[in-house]
Amino acid sequence: KQPRLRGEEYYSLVDEFVEAVKLRFPDALLQWEDFKKGNAFTLLDKYRSSLPSFNDDIQGTAAVVAAGVAAAGRATGTPLAEQRFLLVGAGAAGVGIARHIRHELEEAGLDEDEMTAAIGLVDTQGFVTNDRPVLDEHKVSVAWPAEMAAQAGITTGNGSDLVAIVNAIKPTVLIGTTGQPGVFSEPVVAAMADHVERPFVMALSNPTSKTEAVPSEVVSCTQGRALVATGSPFDPIEYGGRLVPISQCNNVYIFPGVGLGAIVAQAREVTDSMFAAAAQALAAQVTEEQLASGALYPPLRDLREITRQIARAVVIAARDAGVGRPITDDQIDDELDREMWDLDYPTLIPM
């Protein structure tokens, strides 16, 4: 066993690896996977414009969350610009979600103060504000100004009290990436439901033993009004004589389509707009009937067609942003036909 590399030695090794990939596989798409949060953001931000690459833990998670939010907005009639987000957990996934939502809010026309006020984060030290003596670099862009938090009623005295924070900022969407079971207790969810007719609760930690909330309890304490998505699969909940589906917010909806789209586009960079296009394409595949039942994602059994539609949207986004090759819509369809793997395996019959 050897000590892990740290600091300049670590970054020098990664740099050598990236340069080797660019030299040996100049058309490769690189996915950063399972990097520690601080390194994850540093590496993604350092190399994303010089090598087609993305981090699924950061960007894939964010895009699949954004798709769920878009579908929930359709179900409740709430546009993105009117949503308010409280994210509990400020690691790679939580901050990645916040960064992506900020991008989409900016595209929707919100200014800096409005974007900041729309997204609050809570970590192990409490509500994330910019007056901390030590604030992780990857949290700086999503931290609230201390003055804004104080005006909302969030102080050092209640900054770790989720019920108090919910009552202060009145989120429409509650997102958990903590790995701490039961963080979204009944009082927390009930406080949210006091302010929002149809709260959207996303308990994303998995496996099921680590989920922030038990779906049946969320449905029950909101009198069946809540929309619920989880990171792990859960069976539908029976409530009020109907079955309430529990949507699984799974990265597998996003990263195959983004990867395929980036390759077909011959993208020089995998941009935030390409992930936003992927999220919108996923949300668009949820039918009105599915929304009416409470489902926020299309069935996973349709993943092949879902991936194709996402890839198509990603190619178009790359082309239109000038980071992908010129290609017509008809050519995109032909290229996708060529690139998608054929799953038609022969049937073996024993003699």
Side-chain angles (χ1 to χ4, degrees):
K1 291 184 178 180
Q2 297 293 327
R4 285 180 178 267
L5 292 180
R6 304 289 185 191
E8 285 305 313
E9 281 189 300
Y10 173 85
Y11 289 114
S12 177
L13 176 64
V14 176
D15 196 58
E16 184 179 350
F17 170 77
V18 169
E19 290 303 315
V21 169
K22 291 166 66 174
L23 178 65
R24 182 66 181 86
F25 306 108
D27 298 323
L29 171 70
L30 179 65
Q31 179 182 328
W32 304 97
E33 181 73 19
D34 287 341
F35 282 79
K36 186 178 178 181
K37 57 187 177 183
N39 291 335
F41 285 100
T42 299
L43 296 174
L44 175 63
D45 292 340
K46 179 178 180 180
Y47 294 109
R48 62 184 302 176
S49 61
S50 63
L51 173 76
S53 61
F54 67 93
N55 185 306
D56 183 50
D57 300 318
I58 296 173
Q59 297 162 289
T61 300
V64 76
V65 167
V69 170
R74 284 171 53 199
T76 63
T78 308
L80 179 66
E82 296 178 12
Q83 302 278 17
R84 299 181 302 279
F85 300 85
L86 179 61
L87 290 89
V88 184
V95 174
I97 293 166
R99 286 180 18 163
H100 182 95
I101 292 170
R102 280 183 65 90
H103 171 78
E104 292 206 7
L105 290 174
E106 185 175 17
E107 292 293 305
L110 272 65
D111 63 28
E112 183 68 25
D113 288 344
E114 290 170 330
M115 289 188 290
T116 299
I119 309 165
L121 279 84
V122 175
D123 63 10
T124 55
Q125 299 178 56
F127 196 76
V128 179
T129 55
N130 65 1
D131 62 340
R132 289 184 179 177
V134 179
L135 181 62
D136 293 333
E137 181 64 29
H138 64 279
K139 299 177 186 177
V140 170
S141 65
V142 293
W144 270 35
E147 300 82 4
M148 180 181 286
Q151 289 172 2
I154 302 171
T155 66
T156 54
N158 64 13
S160 296
D161 183 342
L162 271 186
V163 172
I165 295 171
V166 166
N167 285 327
I169 70 174
K170 301 177 176 57
T172 59
V173 183
L174 182 62
I175 302 172
T177 59
T178 66
Q180 299 298 314
V183 168
F184 296 164
S185 62
E186 184 172 332
V188 171
V189 177
M192 185 182 180
D194 285 342
H195 304 293
V196 184
E197 176 61 28
R198 298 205 67 191
F200 183 20
V201 178
M202 306 187 80
L204 302 183
S205 294
N206 50 48
T208 54
S209 61
K210 294 185 178 296
T211 188
E212 286 80 7
V214 177
S216 59
E217 294 176 0
V218 173
V219 172
S220 176
C221 77
T222 61
Q223 299 79 49
R225 292 184 283 128
L227 297 165
V228 186
T230 55
S232 298
F234 280 87
D235 292 330
I237 305 300
E238 187 172 352
Y239 185 87
R242 65 186 180 95
L243 280 180
V244 180
I246 306 303
S247 300
Q248 187 183 3
C249 180
N250 193 324
N251 291 22
V252 75
Y253 280 117
I254 291 291
F255 70 81
V258 170
L260 176 61
I263 290 169
V264 169
Q266 297 178 9
R268 298 187 301 276
E269 180 180 350
V270 183
T271 64
D272 292 336
S273 294
M274 290 162 68
F275 273 99
Q280 292 158 13
L282 175 57
Q285 293 177 79
V286 184
T287 67
E288 294 300 323
E289 183 180 4
Q290 289 163 349
L291 283 178
S293 74
L296 300 172
Y297 295 96
L300 271 171
R301 65 175 178 271
D302 298 333
L303 187 58
R304 185 175 173 85
E305 180 58 28
I306 292 167
T307 295
R308 183 190 178 89
Q309 294 303 320
I310 289 174
R312 193 176 194 279
V314 167
V315 177
I316 292 171
R319 177 197 68 191
D320 292 351
V323 298
R325 60 173 166 146
I327 185 171
T328 68
D329 290 356
D330 289 341
Q331 287 174 323
I332 293 173
D333 292 327
D334 292 340
E335 287 291 324
L336 290 174
D337 286 339
R338 277 193 290 270
E339 292 293 339
M340 291 189 72
W341 187 261
D342 185 0
L343 300 180
D344 186 16
Y345 295 112
T347 301
L348 301 180
I349 301 175
M351 301 295 292

